[in-house]
C-alpha cells in the first residue's frame, strides 16, 4: 500500500498506469474469453497520488449480468500493483461500446473482421 503523502511525477504515473493496464489484461470477460483491455472495454485509467485508481469502463451490453464478477476481478487484479491502494470501477455507457474498439488480437480470436 502507498502512503497518502506519496507524490509521483508524471513519468512515474505513466509507468504505474502501464502496470495497471498489464494487470487489467489478466481480467477475462467470462462470456467472450478475451481480456477486457483487448475487448476495448477499458476507456480510462486514472491514478491519483496516494494510490487511488479509478477505472472507467463499459460492458458489451448495458444489462450484462456479469458486471459484478468483472468488477471484482478488476479489484483483485489491481491488488497485484503495489502502488494501488484503492480501486474504484465506474461503468460508463458513452461512448457506446462497439466491436470497432476491439484490438486486432481480439478480432482474430473472435473471428471478427
Amino acid at each position: 500500500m502507498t502512503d497518502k503523502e506519496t507524490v509521483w511525477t508524471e513519468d512515474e504515473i505513466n509507468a504505474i498506469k502501464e502496470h495497471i493496464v498489464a494487470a487489467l489484461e489478466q481480467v477475462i470477460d467470462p462470456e467472450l474469453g478475451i481480456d477486457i483491455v483487448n475487448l476495448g472495454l477499458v476507456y480510462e485509467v486514472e491514478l491519483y497520488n496516494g494510490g487511488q485508481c479509478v477505472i472507467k469502463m463499459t460492458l458489451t451490453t448495458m444489462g450484462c449480468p456479469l458486471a459484478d464478477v468483472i468488477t471484482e476481478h478488476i479489484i483483485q487484479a489491481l491488488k497485484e500493483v503495489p502502488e494501488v491502494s484503492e480501486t474504484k470501477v465506474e461503468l460508463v455507457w458513452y461512448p457506446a461500446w462497439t466491436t470497432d474498439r476491439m484490438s486486432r488480437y481480439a478480432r482474430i480470436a473472435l473471428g471478427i473482421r
Side-chain angles (χ1 to χ4, degrees):
M1 298 290 174
T2 60
D3 184 319
K4 292 287 183 195
E5 302 302 316
T6 301
V7 178
W8 295 305
T9 66
E10 188 174 335
D11 287 341
E12 289 172 323
I13 288 174
N14 289 334
I16 297 166
K17 282 183 177 182
E18 286 180 22
H19 292 144
I20 290 168
V21 171
L24 293 175
E25 287 177 333
Q26 304 308 306
V27 177
I28 306 299
D29 180 294
E31 290 182 314
L32 298 176
I34 305 289
D35 69 86
I36 61 174
V37 173
N38 278 293
L39 284 173
L41 299 179
V42 177
Y43 285 1
E44 188 175 351
V45 174
E46 297 175 348
L47 180 66
Y48 300 98
N49 286 314
Q52 182 188 35
C53 181
V54 178
I55 305 298
K56 292 185 180 180
M57 65 169 293
T58 195
L59 299 168
T60 55
T61 60
M62 195 174 284
C64 177
L66 297 171
D68 290 341
V69 171
I70 293 171
T71 298
E72 185 56 35
H73 287 172
I74 290 169
I75 291 167
Q76 290 302 315
L78 294 190
K79 286 182 178 180
E80 300 301 317
V81 180
E83 296 86 355
V84 174
S85 62
E86 179 184 350
T87 302
K88 181 178 178 185
V89 178
E90 292 181 6
L91 292 178
V92 296
W93 304 107
Y94 184 82
W97 180 85
T98 68
T99 56
D100 293 340
R101 294 191 54 83
M102 295 169 60
S103 71
R104 182 172 184 269
Y105 161 77
R107 293 170 158 287
I108 290 170
L110 296 174
I112 297 172
R113 292 189 180 257

